[in-house]
Amino acid sequence: MSISEIKETKSEKAVMEKNFTFYLSDFWRGLMKFWWLVVGLALLLGSFSFYNSYIRYVPTYTSSATFTVHMENETITGDGGMSAYSFFYDRTTADQLAIVFPYIMQSNILQDRVCRDMNVTAMPASVSVSCVAGTNMLTISTTGSDPQATYDVLQSVINNYSYVAEYIIGPTKLNPISTPEVPTAPTNAMQWKTETLKSVVIGLVIGLVWIAIYAVLRQTVRTKEDVQRELRQPCLGVLPQVTFKRYKQKIDTSVLLSNPLVGKEYLESMRLLRSSIQSNLQDNEKVILLTSTAPGEGKSVTTLNLAYTLAKSDEKVLVIDGDLRNSGISRMVSSGGKKQQNDTSDQIYDIVPLEKLGVDVLTFRAGQRQLWKIMRANRLGKILKQLRKEYDLILIDTPPCGIISDAIIMANVADVALYIVRQDTVLSSRIRRSMSSLLSTDARVVGCVLNGALGGLAGYGNRYGYGGYSHYYRYGYYSKEKTTK
């Protein structure tokens, strides 16, 4: 085997091991996400089995007797036994008896005679017949919930069967091999513990199989390599998931770099992202649009933190809150002194200096219900033309482009676009469809940011977080800022 073949084999093996690790991680994440489904199925099937095997349990008793069937014949041998002809006749009718006798036992005529014999209006037990193939041997059984009534029905059937059989197959005789007895124990012993446990295990297996299928079929972005392979875009940075220790008192759980509880890992990741973006910007490119596929991918938080790191590098930065329908930035920044900016004809936006981040935030006056006036390329272009003279960099936080078209409209007046992808959240196919719309605009897509990266078995990459505690606030984006009073 050549060296190239050996390397190729090792590479394929590494890919297989990596895929297995991904599937195992996806299975674990699916179990953490849908554990309630597994437990619910186990409890549902277990409860149903307990109800049937314990609460609705009805004991069943069976009484039976075995006979040989002979056709009565007047031909007798000298010693008083049956003739050879009579025995041969019985063997030849064995198959016929196996078919006919069950009908005799189930006939209304026989059941009516048994009911009159027992002085009841309905049969308290069911009757069944089983025949041994190729012989004249049969077993009559009765099954019911009362042991004495079950035995009485069998005795009555034995005493009255000849009356019905005489009209169907002629005179017959039953020679008993075993006599019936009153049953003392039910044939369906109560096994509710075993049945319930079995159903619980079946429910767990069904739930785990469903999660395994879910893990195999999921096609989401989980690593930098997935961004390059699935989305065909460079990954400019990986931002870790931020967690907070749970305190008794209220704490600041905003994932902003002005919050010291965020941690150094996240801060360093944002600095690396800032350097990567600055190296990708060309001359005269000042307006950076940030968008995502779906809500909750961390677009607004990433915009503010990126603006913070850019401002730390002596850049005058403006953040434009372009999500006019569901603003995430306005719910995360505190109110401050406002200075109004005029747009030739009327006042449509305000600029808020955000001192703790060192940036300015522009918010449109969407309350005037004039979104259609704002969301026009010529109006936005006119506003940005004025702002370009005052700021070194302008970041626009837009709505998810996989839901509404606002980001596409704003992209036509932006220089570059940065796409936020939250790890293992949105299907790759849906991200590609959204990005295709963005690629058709005038903005140059510089790459993607993988956000919310987890570590350990349930994640991909290094372990990130604040501290090593067992209970955390899983801070989701669009959360309100909590501060200590």
Side-chain angles (χ1 to χ4, degrees), residues 35-61:
W35 63 268
W36 55 270
L37 177 62
V38 179
V39 175
L41 282 174
L43 292 177
L44 179 63
L45 294 182
S47 300
F48 182 77
S49 178
F50 175 78
Y51 177 75
N52 283 332
S53 60
Y54 185 82
I55 298 178
R56 295 190 61 187
Y57 171 74
V58 177
T60 302
Y61 298 90

Side-chain angles (χ1 to χ4, degrees), residues 179-237:
T179 56
E181 297 179 354
V182 178
T184 57
T187 54
N188 61 335
M190 181 183 289
Q191 297 180 341
W192 66 271
K193 292 183 179 179
T194 302
E195 294 299 323
T196 302
L197 180 60
K198 186 187 300 183
S199 299
V200 169
V201 172
I202 292 175
L204 291 174
V205 171
I206 293 175
L208 293 176
V209 169
W210 185 88
I211 290 177
I213 295 174
Y214 163 84
V216 171
L217 296 181
R218 278 181 60 83
Q219 295 294 330
T220 58
V221 176
R222 297 165 293 189
T223 63
K224 294 177 62 175
E225 291 76 13
D226 289 343
V227 174
Q228 297 169 356
R229 182 179 62 255
E230 299 292 334
L231 307 181
R232 297 180 178 84
Q233 292 291 330
C235 184
L236 301 183

